[in-house]
């Protein structure tokens, strides 16, 4: 397992890379308010968050200030150094909301919220940094699923992306850290959060491309990528689909969240490489994580031979 990999002159930074893929039993969550955003000491910069949100509401009154999980870093609980020891990562999550995301990460002033540091959790401590997710979905005929985002979406309209969205606090009935205290066993909430990480990506794929959940294999986490532009992090998963390209194209026409995109593509890997130039940085990083996964599989095959 790798961590905090910088790719020179790239639009992304790899925060976690696990080319072998992590299952739910290998991913735990530490959920705490110590991973929440820290207010910026510049009061005028803090005030700009409300100002920007109010401006957005004037042009789009349907905006909803939903809760999101905030990415606050990670720890490796084991390095998988021996043959009988599996790698295990613990993700640090706090709470944030869409309003703060719009006012920090998506603000024209987003760079002013950053703290100069090589440590990402310090660098982004004043940013909302909600944890997104994305899936590299491989069809039964060996293609990769991509979507072209609608021109009406708030982030990167018209860009190519992998299906995805966010793990959702509301799915667990969490609106504040006090809600988490309602669980009798403190470990229960962290376990439920870990399951939500994997359940949410299946949910997003089903809603965005229209495939039935039973057509999807269990996802594995291949890493976390952060785009350099406005420091947005996203967890990426690999999922095999039992349907072929043509079947998926037909189902996409009735996808629940099809309004978020204008077209679905099922393309070979070489074409995905060409399309990364018009991807958000975190999704470009997701493709890099997928390539690391394929390289690791090739290396294992060579070793086995």
């Amino acid at each position: 397992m790798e961590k905090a990999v910088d790719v020179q002159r790239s639009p992304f930074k790899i925060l976690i890379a696990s080319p072998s893929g992590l299952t739910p039993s290998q991913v735990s969550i530490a959920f705490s308010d110590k991973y929440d955003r820290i207010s910026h000491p510049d009061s005028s910069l803090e005030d700009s968050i409300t100002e920007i949100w109010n401006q957005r509401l004037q042009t789009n009154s349907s905006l909803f200030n939903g809760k999101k999980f905030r990415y606050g870093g990670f720890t490796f609980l084991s390095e998988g150094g021996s043959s009988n020891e599996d790698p295990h990562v613990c993700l640090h999550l706090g709470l944030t909301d869409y309003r703060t995301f719009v006012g920090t990460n998506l603000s024209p002033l987003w760079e002013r919220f950053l703290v100069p540091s090589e440590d990402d959790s310090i660098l982004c401590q004043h940013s909302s940094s909600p944890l997104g997710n994305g899936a590299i979905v491989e069809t039964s005929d060996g293609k990769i699923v991509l979507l072209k985002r609608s021109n009406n979406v708030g982030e990167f309209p018209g860009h190519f992306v992998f299906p995805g969205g966010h793990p959702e606090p509301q799915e667990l009935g969490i609106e504040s850290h006090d809600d988490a205290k309602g669980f009798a066993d403190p470990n229960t909430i962290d376990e439920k959060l870990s399951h939500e990480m994997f359940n949410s990506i299946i949910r997003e794929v089903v809603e965005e491309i229209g495939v039935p959940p039973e057509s999807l294999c269990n996802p594995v986490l291949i890493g976390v990528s952060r785009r350099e532009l406005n420091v947005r992090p996203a967890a990426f998963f690999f999922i095999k689909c039992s349907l072929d390209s043509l079947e998926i194209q037909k189902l996409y026409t009735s996808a629940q969240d099809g309004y978020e995109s204008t077209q679905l593509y099922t393309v070979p890997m070489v074409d995905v490489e060409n399309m990364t130039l018009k991807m958000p940085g975190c999704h470009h990083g997701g493709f890099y994580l997928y390539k690391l996964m394929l390289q690791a599989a090739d290396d294992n095959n060579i070793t086995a031979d």
Side-chain angles (χ1 to χ4, degrees), residues 98-236:
Y98 186 64
R99 168 186 168 277
T100 312
F101 173 54
V102 169
T104 59
N105 294 83
L106 298 188
S107 167
L109 308 174
W110 67 271
E111 289 177 291
R112 289 180 56 189
F113 284 97
L114 302 182
V115 177
S117 176
E118 292 298 317
D119 184 332
D120 235 64
S121 62
I122 296 174
L123 174 76
C124 303
Q125 67 183 11
H126 301 308
S127 298
S128 173
S129 299
L131 182 65
N133 61 22
I136 287 76
V137 178
E138 188 178 280
T139 67
S140 64
D141 52 338
K143 304 291 179 62
I144 302 300
V145 176
L146 280 170
L147 297 168
K148 185 174 184 181
R149 286 174 65 77
S150 163
N151 288 324
N152 299 319
V153 295
E155 286 186 82
F156 292 94
H159 282 61
F160 299 118
V161 294
F162 298 108
H166 303 85
E168 298 288 356
Q170 289 88 342
E171 288 291 323
L172 303 176
I174 295 175
E175 288 289 336
S176 71
H177 286 283
D178 287 339
D179 294 325
K181 295 174 184 176
F183 291 85
D185 182 354
N187 293 324
T188 302
I189 182 62
D190 292 339
E191 183 178 330
K192 286 182 176 293
L193 277 167
S194 179
H195 285 301
E196 170 60 11
M197 287 288 295
F198 288 83
N199 292 341
S200 63
I201 193 60
I202 291 290
R203 190 169 63 241
E204 294 287 359
V205 170
V206 169
E207 291 174 357
E208 291 201 350
I209 70 175
V211 298
E214 58 270 20
S215 71
L216 301 172
C217 293
N218 292 332
V220 292
L221 177 68
I222 57 174
V224 176
S225 162
R226 172 177 64 66
R227 65 182 181 233
E228 293 291 7
L229 175 67
N230 65 43
V231 293
R232 172 70 187 279
F236 281 89

Side-chain angles (χ1 to χ4, degrees), residues 12 30 59 69-70 76 80 88 97 114 120 140 159-160 196 205 209 212 224 230 240-241 249 253 268 271 279 304:
F12 61 86
T59 57
F69 289 116
R70 181 180 184 275
F76 288 128
H88 191 116
D97 55 38
L114 302 182
D120 235 64
S140 64
H159 282 61
F160 299 118
E196 170 60 11
V205 170
I209 70 175
V224 176
N230 65 43
K240 283 192 174 183
C241 182
Q249 288 283 1
T253 59
D271 288 348
M279 278 186 184

Side-chain angles (χ1 to χ4, degrees), residues 24-42:
S25 65
Q26 295 172 278
V27 179
S28 59
I29 304 295
F31 180 59
S32 170
D33 57 7
K34 69 182 179 182
Y35 303 123
D36 287 359
R37 172 184 175 267
I38 298 172
S39 297
H40 198 281
D42 183 337

